[in-house]
Amino acid sequence: MSTQVRTANPPLAGDPPALFEDAGLERGADGSLRLGGVALEAVARDAGTPAYVYNGSAIRDRFATLDQAFDGLPHEIHFAVKSNGSLAVLRILKELGAGADIVSGGELRRALRVGFTARKIVFSGVGKSESELEAAIGARIGSINIESVEELAVIERLVGRRSVEYPVRLGIRVNPDVAAETHPYITTGAGGIKFGVPVEQVVALGRRIAANPRLTLVTIAMHLGSQLLDPAPFALGARKLIELIDEVRDAGVRTIESIDVGGGLGIRYRDESPLAPATLAAVLAPLVAGKQLAVHLEPGRYLTGSAGVLLSRVLYRKRSGGKDFVIVDASMTDLVRPSHYQAYHAIVELVSRGRDSRIVDVVGPVCETGDFLALDRPLADVEPGEYVAILCAGAYGSVMASNYNTRPRAPEVLIERGRYAVIRARETVEDLFRGESINPFDG
Ligand code: LLP
């Protein structure tokens, strides 16, 4: 296959209209790319590159769509903080009425710092430490979703020894053994995977929780996986959860208030047809009818994924081994999804000048062959010094950044009502030295 495909009007190249719409991106008459009404080139010049930029109004639109889809059902939306933990982004979601789905003591601190109502915070995770559990108990969060009998034993010990006057609200995160079709690294609800409590242990666990006056079982939860496009696994999983809730209730446990169906709603990265929230609501409604259960959701990617772009500057172009490379200043340390999951992220020029495009690999400066943002991708013939935008980078982007190669993490910028502001400053190299000693044994 030739790597030098050159056509005046290549079918794959150019701006992807559906992705633009999802993000709130527009191409101005002068060819410049705008997000939420703001010219991204100005943002790139001001904030430097690489830089993450989020469109606040796209996040608000997503939240509204999801919330309205579940209008007919009692529901709560807990934003998965792991997907985008920026305080300003969390603040937007809190203002919209979201709660927070957390996975660590650090995320608990983030959620509390932003002012999420403790009762609307849910905490999942297979390896919660004692101090994390103590913090969650102390904060009186909505539910600690236990993932093993061993974790329950630790909680029993903790509530026994401290003078906890209130019943601590627990959930059981079940592994419903439903295979969801997505990348194997982001499948979480199938058998043989570390997450959740096996179905056959749930009733006994529910009884054990109910027997302790300092504990109360309020929810049964699952999370099947991420980037799901099909409602079928949700239906299968929810059906299993409802059966379990019925069994636990039959065993005399009367405190369950909600069914937590987790996150996982997929978004469009390329040309997928995402699962519409209304479809999910329609699938779940008959299952929960008459059950006196609120539906809890834990979306991350759905709310912020499409709303963010990663801006990067072209450093070099080079031709080697029969391939064309565009070397940019963003790398796998900024956005690891392409190299870690072979994920597709569309890349577009910041100023379009009607140029030809050619098939290139878009790669970063990191010393790893796996450091790429796109492989064999048609891209306009951008010149060094120009900028590109990597799309759909608002979830699992900045939060997964690393400092490999002593690369400071990129800043984050928020666009709201036609204005933009840095919401997280670029890390400095000095930040990265913090806590290190050059010669600890000297003197
Ligand atoms: N709830 C629980 C318990 C989770 O483990 C997750 C994600 C979510 C909710 C939110 O899932 P979402 O709605 O965002 O799909 N780094 C990967 C995704 C890992 C997802 C981990 N758990 C990626 O970049 O695709």
Side-chain angles (χ1 to χ4, degrees):
M1 193 182 85
S2 165
T3 52
Q4 295 181 71
V5 180
R6 263 177 180 283
T7 58
N9 197 7
L12 280 171
D15 295 338
L19 298 184
F20 270 37
E21 197 183 325
D22 292 345
L25 282 164
E26 281 166 347
R27 186 70 73 184
D30 59 352
S32 73
L33 190 63
R34 303 172 79 80
L35 180 66
V38 169
L40 285 173
E41 202 176 14
V43 179
R45 285 193 200 292
D46 265 17
T49 51
Y52 279 96
V53 191
Y54 309 123
N55 180 4
S57 75
I59 297 173
R60 290 174 202 281
D61 287 352
R62 282 297 174 116
F63 185 88
T65 303
L66 184 58
D67 200 30
Q68 280 159 23
F70 280 80
D71 240 3
L73 297 171
H75 69 278
E76 258 178 43
I77 298 170
H78 301 131
F79 173 61
V81 174
K82 64 175 78 71
S83 66
N84 187 323
S86 298
L87 297 176
V89 169
L90 296 179
R91 188 257 316 154
I92 292 176
L93 287 154
K94 184 207 72 175
E95 284 171 2
L96 293 171
D101 160 51
I102 60 164
V103 74
S104 70
E107 289 188 357
L108 174 62
R109 295 266 296 272
R110 279 192 181 276
L112 293 174
R113 169 71 65 89
V114 168
F116 279 94
T117 312
R119 193 60 177 257
K120 284 193 180 176
I121 299 175
V122 302
F123 187 2
S124 303
V126 289
K128 305 179 196 82
S129 70
E130 241 180 74
S131 64
E132 288 176 320
L133 288 167
E134 270 183 322
I137 292 168
R140 305 186 68 156
I141 67 168
S143 76
I144 301 172
N145 291 346
I146 61 164
E147 303 219 14
S148 63
V149 62
E150 289 80 359
E151 183 185 348
L152 178 58
V154 172
I155 294 173
E156 286 168 340
R157 188 154 50 71
L158 292 177
V159 300
R161 87 169 178 220
R162 52 189 291 156
S163 49
V164 181
E165 298 296 321
Y166 44 90
V168 172
R169 296 165 59 86
L170 299 186
I172 300 175
R173 168 155 176 205
V174 179
N175 182 335
D177 197 7
V178 169
E181 223 170 88
T182 184
H183 190 281
Y185 286 7
I186 50 178
T187 296
T188 43
I193 280 173
K194 70 176 177 177
F195 296 103
V197 169
V199 167
E200 62 278 8
Q201 293 178 16
V202 172
V203 177
L205 272 186
R207 278 211 173 98
R208 180 162 156 180
I209 292 167
N212 187 326
R214 291 188 176 177
L215 301 176
T216 179
L217 178 66
V218 295
T219 193
I220 300 287
M222 67 178 184
H223 172 73
L224 297 174
S226 207
Q227 183 57 13
L228 306 184
L229 301 170
D230 178 4
F234 280 103
L236 276 174
R239 201 166 287 132
K240 285 202 183 180
L241 257 51
I242 297 280
E243 278 169 25
L244 286 169
I245 291 169
D246 286 344
E247 282 181 53
V248 175
R249 283 175 166 171
D250 287 348
V253 182
R254 295 264 148 220
T255 49
I256 300 174
E257 303 164 357
S258 62
I259 172 174
D260 181 342
V261 298
L265 275 167
I267 62 168
R268 193 171 1 239
Y269 281 100
R270 189 178 185 150
D271 48 11
E272 303 89 337
S273 312
L275 166 55
T279 308
L280 181 58
V283 161
L284 296 176
L287 299 175
V288 297
K291 297 282 181 189
Q292 316 265 285
L293 288 170
V295 175
H296 288 181
L297 302 152
E298 300 173 351
R301 189 187 320 262
Y302 176 82
L303 293 173
T304 60
S306 303
V309 302
L310 173 61
L311 302 182
S312 184
R313 195 161 54 92
V314 178
L315 299 174
Y316 302 101
R317 298 195 65 114
K318 105 179 198 184
R319 196 165 159 75
S320 177
K323 287 188 85 106
D324 284 297
F325 293 93
V326 174
I327 301 165
V328 298
D329 65 357
S331 77
M332 65 188 290
T333 62
D334 304 295
L335 181 68
V336 77
R337 302 193 73 258
S339 56
H340 194 54
Y341 309 109
Q342 297 76 50
Y344 178 98
H345 282 264
I347 302 181
V348 298
E349 62 210 312
L350 234 53
V351 181
S352 108
R353 302 193 168 99
R355 290 167 289 202
D356 287 348
S357 56
R358 81 173 72 199
I359 304 287
V360 297
D361 283 2
V362 181
V363 300
V366 165
C367 57
E368 297 274 344
T369 306
D371 177 28
F372 57 83
L373 296 161
L375 297 178
D376 293 324
R377 192 71 70 75
L379 183 68
D381 273 343
V382 285
E383 302 286 338
E386 262 189 72
Y387 299 106
V388 293
I390 300 142
L391 308 190
C392 307
Y396 307 108
S398 172
V399 284
M400 292 182 80
S402 78
N403 294 123
Y404 185 40
N405 285 196
T406 306
R407 287 173 56 84
R409 283 177 300 167
E412 294 176 285
V413 173
L414 178 66
I415 294 175
E416 288 264 51
R417 286 175 281 277
R419 302 196 305 168
Y420 65 93
V422 173
I423 56 171
R424 182 202 302 264
R426 184 183 304 284
E427 238 172 4
T428 66
V429 171
E430 281 301 319
D431 290 338
L432 304 189
F433 296 163
R434 193 156 43 89
E436 289 191 44
S437 42
I438 294 180
N439 189 348
F441 304 111
D442 202 17

